[in-house]
């Protein structure tokens, strides 16, 4: 569904500049931006995907992954098509690397989102599967309605968004998981088609405006898995965000244009876990691996098991509100 876009500027000769994300695409008439879903029509920028959903599902919030935000709740999850990055290892390339004319899209009215979430017993909505930044107009309008109806709203994002639009949508979000894909700019340029700094700025801004923030780092063999890079990343989280920030190191599996690399060895993930702990991070998790203790939440003071997880299910074991049931340590977790 087409609608005039937010965040763009007129240029000469009917060109427009999109100001939604750090690419700042200058788009000629009849052409689209990097994301494939914003088009210059007659010297005006339009979103082509307002209300156009490729994926709709009810998910456990742990699948996002958000481990410290309403654990055990279900979230109404939605995605569309396109992306403003071009990751060679994308797991959702069937929707992120296509345009709106390439696959079937379900057209939805903005009021439907909250109504469906409530009908299916969800506590909130998640903008996920592909990059929600490029669905800004619809996500904004639907999140406003969701908040009025008592639902939470979350982003699962690559963090590649400019400050003004992020502040705008941030007024109607409660939590965000940002995928920090590596801690070096060369990786971003060569593998993802972007830059690292804007992503780090989004993480800092999320903290500043009061969103619950969790960070995911997909560990790819020989590309972003060196001890030094993991250490620098963890140190940055501790110093620039907070040692309380949940960090998820997840296992890479061959996908899309990166099938030449093996899955991440479990030992590499365990090493990342150990480095994170040594650097002072209190809540570190390992994902995309067989069930184990690395999914559970433990009290950083007394070591008590607080939340036990198995796959995408979770059970609260010893929490008193947002405090450890054993020693009373305050835990950075959002619960009912």
């Amino acid at each position: 569904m087409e609608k005039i876009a937010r965040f763009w500027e007129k240029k000469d000769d009917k060109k427009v500049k999109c100001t939604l994300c750090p690419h700042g695409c200058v788009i000629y008439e009849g052409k689209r931006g990097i994301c494939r879903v914003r088009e210059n029509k007659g010297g005006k920028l339009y979103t082509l995907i307002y209300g156009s959903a490729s994926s709709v599902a009810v998910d456990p919030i742990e699948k996002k992954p958000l481990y410290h935000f309403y654990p055990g709740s279900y979230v109404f999850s939605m995605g569309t098509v396109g992306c403003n990055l071009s990751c060679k290892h994308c797991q959702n390339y069937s929707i992120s690397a296509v345009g709106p004319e390439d696959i079937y899209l379900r057209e939805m009215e903005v009021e439907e989102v909250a109504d469906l979430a409530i009908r299916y017993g969800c506590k909130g909505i998640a903008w996920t599967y592909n990059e929600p930044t490029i669905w800004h107009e619809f996500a904004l309008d639907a999140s406003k309605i969701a908040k009025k109806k008592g639902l939470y709203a979350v982003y699962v994002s690559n963090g590649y968004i400019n400050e003004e639009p992020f502040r705008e949508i941030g007024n109607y979000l409660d939590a965000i998981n940002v995928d920090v894909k590596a801690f070096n700019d060369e990786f971003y340029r060569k593998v993802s088609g972007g830059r690292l700094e804007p992503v780090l700025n989004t993480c800092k801004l999320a903290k500043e405006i009061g969103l619950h923030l969790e960070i995911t780092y997909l560990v790819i063999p020989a590309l972003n898995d060196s001890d030094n890079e993991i250490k620098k990343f963890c140190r940055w989280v501790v110093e620039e965000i907070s040692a309380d920030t949940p960090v998820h190191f997840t296992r890479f599996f061959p996908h899309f244009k990166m099938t030449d690399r093996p899955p991440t060895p479990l030992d590499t993930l365990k090493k990342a876990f150990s480095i994170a702990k040594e650097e002072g991070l209190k809540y570190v998790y390992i994902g995309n691996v067989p069930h184990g203790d690395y999914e559970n939440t433990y009290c950083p003071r007394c070591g008590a098991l607080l939340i036990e997880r198995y796959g995408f299910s979770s059970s609260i074991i010893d929490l008193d509100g947002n405090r450890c049931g054993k020693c009373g340590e305050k835990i950075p977790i959002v619960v009912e």
Side-chain angles (χ1 to χ4, degrees):
M1 190 184 307
E2 294 183 8
K3 187 172 184 177
I4 192 76
R6 299 179 65 80
F7 300 106
W8 59 280
E9 302 169 355
K10 287 187 176 182
K11 308 296 282 186
D12 295 335
D13 301 323
K14 288 190 176 181
K15 296 194 295 286
V16 300
K17 179 179 181 180
C18 179
T19 58
L20 179 61
C21 90
H23 286 305
C25 294
V26 175
I27 307 171
Y28 287 76
E29 186 174 7
K31 303 298 183 181
R32 299 181 187 179
I34 286 172
C35 63
R36 299 182 176 87
V37 299
R38 309 178 92 74
E39 184 172 325
N40 179 346
K41 295 193 173 190
K44 295 181 180 180
L45 188 63
Y46 285 82
T47 171
L48 306 179
I49 53 168
Y50 189 90
S52 304
S54 68
S55 312
V56 179
V58 173
D59 289 330
I61 193 67
E62 286 79 11
K63 190 176 181 180
K64 300 303 108 186
L66 286 166
Y67 278 12
H68 287 224
F69 185 80
Y70 288 95
S73 68
Y74 284 90
V75 60
F76 190 73
S77 302
M78 295 186 60
T80 181
V81 292
C83 187
N84 57 354
L85 292 183
S86 52
C87 299
K88 294 179 180 178
H89 55 288
C90 182
Q91 297 181 42
N92 291 323
Y93 64 89
S94 62
I95 60 172
S96 69
V98 299
E101 63 283 330
D102 295 323
I103 63 172
Y104 170 76
L105 295 171
R106 173 182 174 180
E107 299 299 331
M108 300 182 67
E109 297 297 327
V110 69
E111 298 84 2
E112 279 187 84
V113 180
D115 291 344
L116 286 170
I118 293 168
R119 182 189 304 175
Y120 289 108
C122 298
K123 295 286 186 183
I125 58 174
W127 305 102
T128 180
Y129 303 135
N130 73 315
E131 177 50 44
T133 292
I134 63 170
W135 213 6
H136 182 86
E137 294 79 8
F138 187 71
L140 176 68
D141 291 346
S143 295
K144 288 178 180 179
I145 295 172
K147 298 296 290 179
K148 288 179 181 178
K149 296 192 175 184
L151 299 170
Y152 64 66
V154 305
Y155 251 32
V156 182
S157 174
N158 62 29
Y160 215 65
I161 184 171
N162 284 335
E163 179 175 344
E164 186 179 356
F166 186 59
R167 284 187 181 275
E168 181 179 62
I169 189 68
N171 288 324
Y172 304 97
L173 297 179
D174 298 277
I176 184 170
N177 183 298
V178 177
D179 186 7
V180 176
K181 298 178 182 297
F183 209 69
N184 74 85
D185 207 55
E186 183 180 11
F187 178 103
Y188 265 88
R189 287 186 289 106
K190 291 184 175 180
V191 178
S192 294
R195 294 179 290 120
L196 172 61
E197 185 179 12
V199 179
L200 303 185
N201 289 340
T202 295
C203 292
K204 291 191 283 188
L205 185 56
K207 194 72 175 179
E208 177 191 322
I209 65 179
L211 298 184
H212 174 81
L213 169 68
E214 302 192 21
I215 298 175
T216 295
Y217 189 110
L218 180 72
V219 183
I220 305 177
L223 281 180
N224 65 358
D225 65 340
S226 72
D227 291 359
N228 185 53
E229 186 167 352
I230 297 293
K231 183 176 292 188
K232 287 195 296 183
F233 163 69
C234 295
R235 190 171 298 159
W236 177 84
V237 176
V238 170
E239 293 176 355
E240 298 293 334
I241 309 297
S242 169
D244 285 342
T245 306
V247 169
H248 305 258
F249 290 109
T250 58
R251 191 181 195 187
F252 163 83
F253 288 98
H255 281 288
F256 197 27
K257 299 177 181 179
M258 201 176 285
T259 56
D260 59 331
R261 295 177 187 272
T264 316
L266 185 56
D267 285 346
T268 301
L269 294 166
K270 289 181 177 179
K271 184 65 178 295
F273 181 96
S274 298
I275 290 172
K277 288 292 190 177
E278 290 166 3
E279 291 300 318
L281 284 169
K282 298 179 181 178
Y283 306 96
V284 186
Y285 303 99
I286 295 178
N288 290 347
V289 296
H291 173 66
D293 289 340
Y294 295 102
E295 298 171 295
N296 298 333
T297 300
Y298 294 91
C299 175
R301 178 193 284 179
C302 72
L305 175 61
L306 305 178
I307 303 175
E308 186 173 25
R309 297 183 182 85
Y310 194 100
F312 297 127
S313 65
S314 65
S315 299
I316 294 177
I317 304 299
D318 204 352
L319 273 176
D320 183 8
N322 65 346
R323 293 186 179 274
C324 172
K326 287 285 193 300
C327 71
E329 173 80 356
K330 189 174 181 180
I331 309 298
I333 192 164
V334 181
V335 292
E336 291 187 67

